[in-house]
Amino acid sequence: MRTLCIYMNDQTTQATPSRADIERLVDGFYTAVRADALLGPVFERHLHGRWHTHLPRMVEFWCTVLLKTHSYRGDVYSAHMGIDGIAEAHVQRWLELWHEHTGAAFDADAAWRLQATAQGIARTLRIGWFGREAAGVRVLEHAQAHG
């Protein structure tokens, strides 16, 4: 069984992140995704030449989740079902990076909301891609990351 730790920042930051904070998160996260040996090629194949439109949409999505802006319009499930070559390892790695970045960027409550939303999205996408939820993955809620 694999364990997916949810990383939390040990320092308290502002209670509600701003749009600028979410923009920095999305930018940093997708910079890491693009550089990642496993995820980079998949994302680049799908988004090549379209990063400039994808990243603002991701900012709107996560602002809708965290700030309740209702500014995102789209169908997350359908947008992802057309991506070929996805394996469980891709989903796991995406979640690991997301948890690292959100935990480092925000206080525990904000990070947890973003991470829980990502877990829910991953659960739904796994069913669409693989016909099942992940087997053998346990999520540790509110785990503290200590060196």
Side-chain angles (χ1 to χ4, degrees):
M1 175 178 288
R2 281 189 73 185
T3 300
L4 179 62
C5 292
I6 298 179
Y7 299 97
M8 297 296 165
N9 187 344
D10 288 336
Q11 298 176 335
T12 302
T13 56
Q14 61 186 359
T16 302
S18 68
R19 179 183 181 82
D21 295 327
I22 293 171
E23 288 171 349
R24 280 189 294 279
L25 169 69
V26 167
D27 183 59
F29 172 71
Y30 280 103
T31 296
V33 164
R34 291 177 86 173
D36 189 80
L38 180 64
L39 295 177
V42 173
F43 274 80
E44 191 57 35
R45 183 175 63 244
H46 188 69
L47 292 171
H48 180 74
R50 297 184 308 121
W51 284 100
H52 67 284
T53 58
H54 181 70
L55 295 180
R57 284 184 55 78
M58 295 302 89
V59 169
E60 295 308 329
F61 177 81
W62 292 109
C63 282
T64 295
V65 169
L66 195 58
L67 304 178
K68 310 248 186 278
T69 61
H70 304 286
S71 55
Y72 177 79
R73 300 285 185 261
D75 181 348
V76 173
Y77 181 83
S78 295
H80 289 82
M81 288 301 100
I83 303 172
D84 294 325
I86 301 296
E88 177 60 34
H90 295 107
V91 179
Q92 275 302 122
R93 183 64 183 141
W94 185 89
L95 285 170
E96 289 168 1
L97 282 176
W98 184 249
H99 290 193
E100 290 170 13
H101 281 261
T102 55
F106 300 123
D107 72 1
D109 181 59
W112 172 245
R113 285 185 282 154
L114 292 167
Q115 293 164 1
T117 298
Q119 283 291 139
I121 292 167
R123 185 178 312 111
T124 300
L125 294 177
R126 282 178 173 124
I127 292 169
W129 283 320
F130 315 128
R132 60 173 168 68
E133 291 187 36
V137 176
R138 183 178 56 144
V139 177
L140 296 180
E141 297 181 12
H142 295 265
Q144 293 293 322
H146 298 287

